[in-house]
Amino acid sequence: MARLKELSSPEERWGASGPAGSSGAGRLRRTAQERIATDVIPALILLAWYLASFRAPEYVLPNPLSVILLTLQLLADPALFHHTYISLGRVIAAVLIALLLGSSLVLLARYAPLARGFIVRRLLPFLNAFPTLGWAILAVYWFGVSDPSAIFVEVAILLPFSMITMWEGMKALDEETLEMAWSFTRNRWIILRKVIFPLLLPYIFAVLRISYGVAWKVALIAELFGSSVGLGYLLNYSRNQFNSPMLFGTILVIIVLVYLMDRLGFEPLERRMMKYRAEAQAGPPHV
Amino acid sequence: MQAAAPIVQFGHVRKQFAGRPVLDGISFTIRRGEFACLLGPSGCGKSTTLRMIGGLLREFEGSVLVEGTRPEDRWRSLAFVFQSPRLVHWRTALDNVAFGLELREPGMRAEERRRAALQYLVMMGLALDAGKYPAHLSGGERQRVAFARALAVDPALILMDEPFSDLDVNTRERLRDQVITIWQATGKTIVFVTHDVDEAVYLADRIFVFSRKPTQILRILDVGRPRPRDLERDPALAELRREVRALFATQREPPHGFPSAGDGQPPEPAGPRGRGSWSGPAPRLGG
Ligand SMILES: Nc1ncnc2c1ncn2[C@@H]1O[C@H](COP(=O)(O)OP(=O)(O)O)[C@@H](O)[C@H]1O
Ligand SMILES: [Mg+2]
């Protein structure tokens, strides 16, 4: 019975940790062929791009070197990097706000039956269906061209993602474990912190990862309309100016930021917060 | 601490689930310090009875008193050991034992908690497994961790709900002896639920025999035999076992031609679990 319960833990049901273990893509052992597929192919494509850029007009295909230079400038040149870091700040703020707000709404739905119907059957489908562009235009009407305007749009789009995921997490909460906790204390706050939060941790990481990627896609649209600074603004600017290296550089910097956050942020954090997993898998499970 | 003082009192307790009566007017008293077994067929309301004592189930007719007051005010006086161990998979054996304390006494220093937890792990013979995660413990070891977790909060009353029914025969018999030893050493009151006649006869000071549902108390039997017990060699115990079995036989066929014991319940899983229980042949005990 206990064994069954472990097998139906969320990670396993999602198939994130298959028979090969859950060490994650970062620790996969690469064979020579895989290395070629992973690293050499992109290098060849880059080379082809470099050669092709001499034959094409710049606005069609800019020189990859100038694109990379611009990417570096966007990350490190004080004349430009405020666009990058303001966007990044907005994205991070939006991800955290959406996670907290979505979790709170879903907790409310779970523990206040009165609110459940409204939150799950009305608010959630409404938010889920609302078009991004619609929020972006409305945000300018409501908040003008400003920080709150961009963050608002991002939160509005992220909210249904975090609500759906966290709602699934709540539904998967193990009633037996909760009853055990309740038999030891009557303090709901302690149960929330020590039992519910750890049980929800895999779902929280899922929300963070999905949200961070989606937030960048939304950020550009939000900033296109509701901001005079940020990468979305820069993208629009380079479009108007036919500044193709800038356009490509902006896109590349986002790709870099999403990738880096995953590798340097989420993966180590997840590994740390769920240390027990690695340790629990150190030896063969007792039968 | 006078031995005869009541610690749990049930007065004409009735409970229905969705209009179907489960408990049909139950009255009994459990004395402080005694080892009480609640024995009855599957689905008769034994777990329900324990939940009422533990204050986990508060809607019912009649009166339930723990230490003379409402159970929801006495939750600090008791601890549960459930049928499945209900350990949290992200904590080691030691930290699982400390978990009950952590939930109940959040103000206690972590170091102090762990020291207490270790003491009970050692008592359960698990000193060498303190650092293992539940996934690496056997079923019997997990259940001993759960027992240590209950002991660690030093309750006056321990409620055990078929704690050994998922274990193999040998482990089960060893754990029975361990529970008796600890009960004798600590002087706690134990309410032990089982559907296994031999288990009740082996363990109990008094056996409270529950009928099929709608459930009444068929009889309260004083075992009154010295320990350690041997059901095969002690004629009084053999006689008692015969008596309880005969009592059960009257319960096997429900009135009005309904299917037996299940009564809409899923059937008990086959295999070791069914052995020595309600209707099956008895395994040898203590030989
Ligand atoms: N929360 C509940 N909702 C509906 N029915 C329940 C609930 N809890 C228990 N029951 C029913 O009450 C009866 C007694 O259950 P239980 O106390 O678990 O029996 P036992 O522990 O003796 O096997 C069973 O028929 C069961 O289906
Ligand atoms: Mg039960």
Side-chain angles (χ1 to χ4, degrees), chain A residues 94-152:
Chain A
V95 166
L96 294 180
I97 292 172
L99 174 65
L100 284 178
L101 198 58
S103 306
S104 309
L105 283 169
V106 160
L107 266 175
L108 192 67
R110 182 178 161 95
Y111 291 106
L114 209 63
R116 187 174 307 153
F118 170 73
I119 292 172
V120 178
R121 281 206 245 299
R122 296 288 178 268
L123 185 61
L124 182 56
F126 171 82
L127 289 173
N128 204 17
F130 210 103
T132 309
L133 204 52
W135 284 127
I137 296 166
L138 282 175
V140 177
Y141 291 172
W142 293 342
F143 304 105
V145 172
S146 65
D147 260 345
S149 171
I151 293 176
F152 171 83

Side-chain angles (χ1 to χ4, degrees), chain A residues 1-3 5-6 9 11 175-177 179-187 190-191 194-196 198-199 275-277 279-287, chain B residues 51 54-56 71-72 75 78-80 82 84-91 99-100 102-104 106 113 133-138 141-142 149-150 153 166:
Chain A
M1 184 161 190
R3 195 65 204 133
K5 202 142 289 141
E6 282 156 25
S9 74
E11 315 88 80
E175 289 298 335
E176 291 200 337
T177 304
E179 191 186 46
M180 178 276 294
W182 193 245
S183 78
F184 279 106
T185 183
R186 293 298 190 270
N187 186 330
I190 291 180
I191 292 183
K194 307 229 166 190
V195 183
I196 297 182
L199 285 173
K275 200 167 79 183
Y276 71 89
R277 258 206 229 160
E279 287 174 24
Q281 276 159 357
H286 211 298
V287 199
Chain B
R51 285 204 178 91
L56 299 175
E72 50 265 47
W75 58 271
L78 51 88
F80 274 87
F82 299 95
S84 59
R86 306 198 187 180
L87 305 180
V88 294
H89 58 85
W90 61 87
R91 285 175 173 244
F99 198 40
E102 195 170 332
L103 293 172
R104 191 162 287 185
R113 269 194 312 249
Y133 284 85
H136 293 170
L137 296 172
S138 69
E141 288 164 343
R142 286 181 206 162
R149 179 180 63 193
V153 297
D166 286 347

Side-chain angles (χ1 to χ4, degrees), chain B residues 107-129:
Chain B
M108 199 173 184
R109 286 192 18 251
E111 211 175 295
E112 212 177 315
R113 269 194 312 249
R114 297 184 115 217
R115 196 170 330 118
L118 186 61
Q119 177 194 332
Y120 288 101
L121 261 189
V122 170
M123 190 187 283
M124 297 307 300
L126 290 172
L128 296 178
D129 301 301

Side-chain angles (χ1 to χ4, degrees), chain B residues 17 22 41-49 51 161-162 193 213 265:
Chain B
F17 284 112
V22 173
S42 182
C44 74
K46 304 182 296 296
S47 299
T48 303
T49 304
R51 285 204 178 91
D161 191 355
E162 306 200 31
V193 160
K213 79 188 160 179
Q265 293 298 111

Side-chain angles (χ1 to χ4, degrees), chain A residues 16-18 20-25 27 277-278 281:
Chain A
S17 52
S22 68
S23 46
R27 279 194 247 158
R277 258 206 229 160
Q281 276 159 357

